[in-house]
């Protein structure tokens, strides 16, 4: 008999509501849930991959340990005993910093994220990394400097804006990131349907740009200059007054920062003419409700933090910070800010072993990962825990990272597959599949375009003995405790696991939260009420609340001193004739990234439905650039940078700006020993072989994976004799 279960697609940030139909313990259909309060029936192709992931015979279902060049299944007790013994040994012999931890994006798509934070605390290591330093460090740095907390992400209120400007983001494909907006296409169309205007600033005419009123083909890395020209227009030429808000300060410093950089100065560096820069600025200021939204494309620049600062400043001076239709802040069901503000959420005192990269919120940039393992010295990393991450494929410098993970004394991976990274592990601990988990999200409710609370029910009961990722993390917490603190390991582990159930945390957090029964009385929110409401509970539109979030003495700093100093350094270098982004000899094209609706970083490529059809790991090149190099559509092309080279098919299209090429990330499944055959058969090439891992955003250390200099050459095809 068939049954249909409401659930969510937790493969990406959107967490779209789905209805999963099951017959004879096989998923027969996945469709959007029209009652979901945020996604409203929308799903993208990734949702259908839930079934393929769950049923994939290559997905690990029991712990495995390395035996020679292969793997053997072991029990959970054996696995945890081995992992605990080896991690404690490394810490005892080499110190607590000899154990490192890395986690990827999927780790925060799960309720286990709080247990992950606890594991990091118990490890007490300075060597922690995550995908955030290839993703969002610039935004977090700016939030910390401007608002006092790295968690105060301003959200673009797209559902109520009249004028949307998008920089370095492609929500039509991503469905929003650090502004969660399922059915972004529909939401963007709605802006125009209600008489508003949409402008996309991107070197490529993206899927989002095709929905917009205007596409501005900015030069790769030129966003900071475009924004400076816009701010100069408004603050210097038009003498826009300071925001009428007693909690804003630094306005005069902001004016000084942009005073001498006119649109004419900015134009050649932005790749956008001065009249267009002025018009973009004045159109933004004239709109009743407007917002500038920037995301990962500008995070991946050497000026990523500066760009996000100027975006927030532009929203503030036009009256669109903490205002409906502008940049807003969510009111989540579980308010994590009081708790997380007690943690190290800003810059820390310690650096990496080289002394170059400073830690931020107790994490180092991924640029330091390989050297922290390989460089000799008593403080090098000798053991690693990786959780839902594949840095060998997803971070810059693949070959050195591959060498580093192979050199570890011990490596435990929490992963569903034997990936390019986990193939080096000594033990792999596989969590339940996405359809076997019941979860309440506590992270992405901070980032949604609407306040909602949604419960994600499990579709399948997990097999006997299977563990959710939060249970694995809780057991690791118990195992890494020193022996004097552990007592009887089994008893401690059972106690820890019982107390760290995310549903306990959610139950208390919701009750004590802004909408909960402890604040609102008997009619307030409880976990039970969320769980019982198919599609979740709609808690209303975003509302102005920055005053409360800042606290009694907090203020918005429109021009943080260190960011203003860094901007001055960049501009002085240009005025002095130094071109910080000048092309190395022999390289004449700038490389940017691109997304695809059927891909999700590196981990949906073992699903046949996601990779079938035309090759998507291609280099997008403008017709003029292709003709100049004798390249035709679908030709094999060698793409070379000062750091490496890859070979991919060419895709010739005028949607890319001349002088620019684009290659998607997450591909390159060609290493020996990976455990996903479909991915290996559709391997593509790893674009991160082209990026220098030490080419980073100067302020945050975030990987600069955009604007890399490359050259193209057609690959000669040998003719049969």
């Amino acid at each position: 008999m068939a049954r249909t279960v409401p659930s969510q697609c937790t493969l990406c940030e959107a967490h779209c509501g789905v209805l999963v139909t099951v017959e004879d313990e096989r998923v027969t259909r996945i469709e959007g849930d029209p009652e979901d309060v945020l996604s409203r029936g929308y799903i993208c192709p990734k949702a259908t991959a839930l079934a393929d992931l769950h049923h994939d015979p290559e997905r690990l279902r029991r712990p495995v340990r390395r035996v020679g060049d292969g793997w053997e299944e072991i029990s959970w007790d054996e696995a945890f005993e081995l992992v605990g013994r080896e991690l404690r040994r490394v810490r005892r012999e080499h110190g607590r910093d000899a154990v490192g931890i890395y986690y990827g994006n999927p780790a925060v798509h799960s309720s286990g994220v709080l247990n992950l934070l606890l594991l990091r605390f118990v490890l007490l290591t300075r060597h922690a990394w995550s995908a955030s330093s290839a993703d969002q460090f610039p935004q977090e740095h700016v939030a910390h400097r401007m608002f006092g907390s790295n968690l105060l992400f301003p959200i673009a209120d797209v559902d109520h804006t009249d004028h949307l400007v998008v920089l370095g983001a492609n929500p039509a494909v991503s469905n929003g990131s650090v502004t969660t907006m399922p059915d972004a296409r529909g939401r963007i169309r709605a802006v125009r349907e209600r008489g508003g205007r949409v402008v996309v600033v991107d070197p490529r005419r993206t899927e989002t740009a095709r929905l917009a009123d205007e596409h501005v083909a900015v030069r790769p890395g030129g966003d900071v200059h475009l924004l400076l020209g816009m701010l100069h227009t408004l603050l210097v030429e038009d003498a826009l007054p300071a925001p009428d808000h007693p909690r804003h300060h630094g306005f005069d410093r902001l004016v000084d920062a942009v005073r001498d950089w006119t649109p004419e100065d900015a134009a050649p560096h932005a790749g956008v003419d001065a009249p267009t820069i002025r018009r973009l600025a004045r159109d933004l200021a004239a709109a009743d409700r407007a917002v500038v939204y920037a995301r990962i494309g500008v995070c991946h620049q050497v000026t990523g933090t500066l760009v996000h600062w100027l975006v927030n400043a532009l929203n503030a001076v036009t009256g669109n910070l903490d205002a409906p239709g502008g940049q807003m802040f969510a009111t989540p069901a579980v308010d994590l800010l009081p708790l997380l503000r007690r943690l190290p959420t800003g810059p820390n005192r310690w650096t990496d072993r080289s002394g170059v990269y400073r830690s931020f919120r107790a994490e180092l940039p991924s640029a330091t990962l390989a050297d922290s393992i390989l460089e000799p010295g008593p403080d090098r990393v000798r053991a690693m825990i990786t959780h839902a991450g594949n840095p060998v494929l997803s971070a810059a410098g693949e070959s050195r990272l591959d060498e580093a993970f192979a050199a570890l004394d011990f490596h435990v991976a929490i992963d569903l597959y034997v990936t390019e990274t986990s193939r080096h592990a000594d033990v792999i601990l596989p969590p339940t599949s996405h359809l076997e988990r019941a979860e309440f999200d506590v992270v992405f409710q901070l980032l949604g375009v609407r306040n909602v609370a949604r419960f994600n029910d499990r579709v399948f009961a997990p097999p006997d003995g299977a563990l959710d990722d939060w249970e694995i993390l809780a057991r690791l917490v118990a195992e890494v405790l020193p022996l004097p603190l552990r007592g009887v390991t089994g008893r401690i582990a059972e106690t820890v696991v019982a107390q760290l159930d995310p549903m306990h945390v959610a139950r208390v957090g919701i009750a004590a939260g802004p909408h909960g029964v402890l604040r609102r009385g008997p009619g307030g929110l409880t976990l039970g009420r969320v769980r019982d409401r198919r599609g979740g509970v709609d808690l209303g539109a975003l509302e102005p609340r920055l005053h409360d979030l800042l606290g009694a003495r907090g203020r918005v700093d429109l021009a943080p001193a260190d960011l203003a100093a860094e901007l001055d350094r960049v501009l002085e270098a240009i005025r002095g004739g130094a071109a910080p982004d000048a092309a190395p000899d022999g390289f004449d094209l700038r490389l940017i990234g691109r997304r695809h609706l059927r891909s999700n970083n590196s981990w949906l490529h073992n699903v046949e439905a996601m990779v079938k059809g035309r090759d998507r790991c291609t280099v997008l090149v403008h017709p003029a650039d292709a003709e100049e190099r004798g390249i035709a559509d679908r030709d094999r092309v060698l793409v070379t940078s000062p750091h490496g080279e890859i070979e991919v098919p060419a895709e010739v299209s005028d949607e890319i700006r001349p002088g620019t090429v684009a290659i998607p990330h997450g591909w390159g499944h060609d290493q020996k020993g990976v455990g996903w055959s479909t991915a290996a058969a559709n391997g593509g090439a790893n674009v991160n072989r082209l990026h220098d891992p030490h080419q980073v955003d100067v302020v945050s250390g975030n990987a600069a994976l955009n604007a890399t200099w490359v050259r193209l050459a057609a690959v000669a095809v040998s003719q049969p004799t």
Side-chain angles (χ1 to χ4, degrees), residues 7 233 290-291 353 356 378-379 392 412 499 593 611 655 665 690-691 693:
S7 189
T233 298
V291 65
R353 297 171 66 212
V356 173
D379 55 346
V392 168
V412 54
Q499 296 305 313
V611 296
E655 76 176 41
H665 76 290
L690 303 176
H691 301 305

Side-chain angles (χ1 to χ4, degrees), residues 114-115 334 336 442 499-510:
L114 297 180
N115 292 352
V334 177
L336 296 176
V442 296
Q499 296 305 313
L500 295 181
D501 186 336
M503 291 306 147
H504 293 339
V505 177
R507 187 174 293 108
V508 174
I510 292 172

Side-chain angles (χ1 to χ4, degrees), residues 166 201 210 249 295 555:
V166 179
V201 179
R210 295 169 205 164
H249 75 113
R295 190 47 195 109
R555 294 188 295 176

Side-chain angles (χ1 to χ4, degrees), residues 690-713:
L690 303 176
H691 301 305
D692 181 352
H694 295 290
Q695 185 78 2
V696 299
D697 169 36
V698 174
V699 178
S700 70
N702 198 89
L705 304 177
N706 270 342
T708 296
W709 285 104
V710 298
R711 63 172 177 258
L712 302 189

Side-chain angles (χ1 to χ4, degrees), residues 418-687:
V418 181
T419 70
E420 288 74 17
T421 299
S422 67
R423 72 193 178 106
H424 293 297
D426 296 279
V427 178
I428 304 177
L429 307 175
T432 53
S433 81
H434 299 79
L435 295 181
E436 293 169 339
R437 305 174 193 170
E439 297 182 312
F440 178 83
D441 168 52
V442 296
V443 174
F444 294 113
Q445 59 175 295
L446 290 167
L447 309 176
V449 295
R450 191 168 183 86
N451 295 312
V452 300
R454 300 183 292 169
F455 180 80
N456 179 29
D457 206 356
R458 67 177 86 241
V459 175
F460 295 99
D464 289 342
L467 299 180
D468 287 346
D469 60 348
W470 71 265
E471 294 175 292
I472 295 172
L473 292 164
R475 284 290 301 269
L476 288 178
V477 168
E479 290 293 342
V480 299
L481 289 172
L483 279 172
L485 298 177
R486 293 171 63 236
V488 180
T489 302
R491 188 178 305 163
I492 291 291
E494 290 173 6
T495 303
V496 169
V497 167
Q499 296 305 313
L500 295 181
D501 186 336
M503 291 306 147
H504 293 339
V505 177
R507 187 174 293 108
V508 174
I510 292 172
H515 310 275
V517 292
L518 297 182
R519 295 198 197 183
R520 300 290 182 92
L525 202 62
T526 66
L527 178 60
R529 288 170 183 165
V530 177
R531 191 170 192 161
D532 292 341
R533 186 79 61 86
R534 173 183 152 187
V537 178
D538 185 359
L539 301 173
L542 305 182
E543 296 179 344
R545 65 184 302 248
L546 184 55
H547 180 278
D548 296 331
L549 293 172
L550 290 172
R553 292 180 294 177
R555 294 188 295 176
V556 174
D557 190 348
L558 296 177
D562 60 336
L563 301 188
E566 173 59 19
L567 176 61
D568 187 59
R569 185 194 68 79
V570 170
L571 297 183
E572 281 302 311
I574 294 173
R575 293 187 187 103
D581 60 349
D585 288 344
F587 299 92
D588 54 357
L589 298 168
R590 305 297 288 270
L591 169 66
I592 64 171
R594 63 197 242 245
R595 302 184 70 116
H596 195 279
L597 200 60
R598 291 181 178 270
S599 189
N600 191 9
N601 300 325
S602 66
W603 54 287
L604 283 187
H605 298 154
N606 209 50
V607 176
E608 178 64 32
M610 298 294 106
V611 296
K612 68 181 181 181
R614 187 167 174 158
D615 193 345
R616 289 187 289 278
C617 185
T618 63
V619 56
L620 193 68
V621 56
H622 189 274
D625 293 325
E627 182 178 8
E628 182 180 344
R629 292 157 180 80
I631 295 171
D633 193 54
R634 313 315 295 179
D635 278 356
R636 300 291 299 180
V637 172
L638 186 67
V639 186
T640 307
S641 77
H643 195 71
E645 64 182 29
I646 60 174
E647 185 179 316
V648 289
E651 187 174 346
V652 180
S653 171
D654 65 0
E655 76 176 41
I656 192 79
R657 175 189 169 98
T660 305
V661 295
I663 301 174
H665 76 290
W667 299 87
H669 307 285
D670 55 359
Q671 290 93 334
K672 180 182 178 181
V674 297
W676 36 19
S677 58
T678 300
N682 298 271
N686 186 359
V687 69

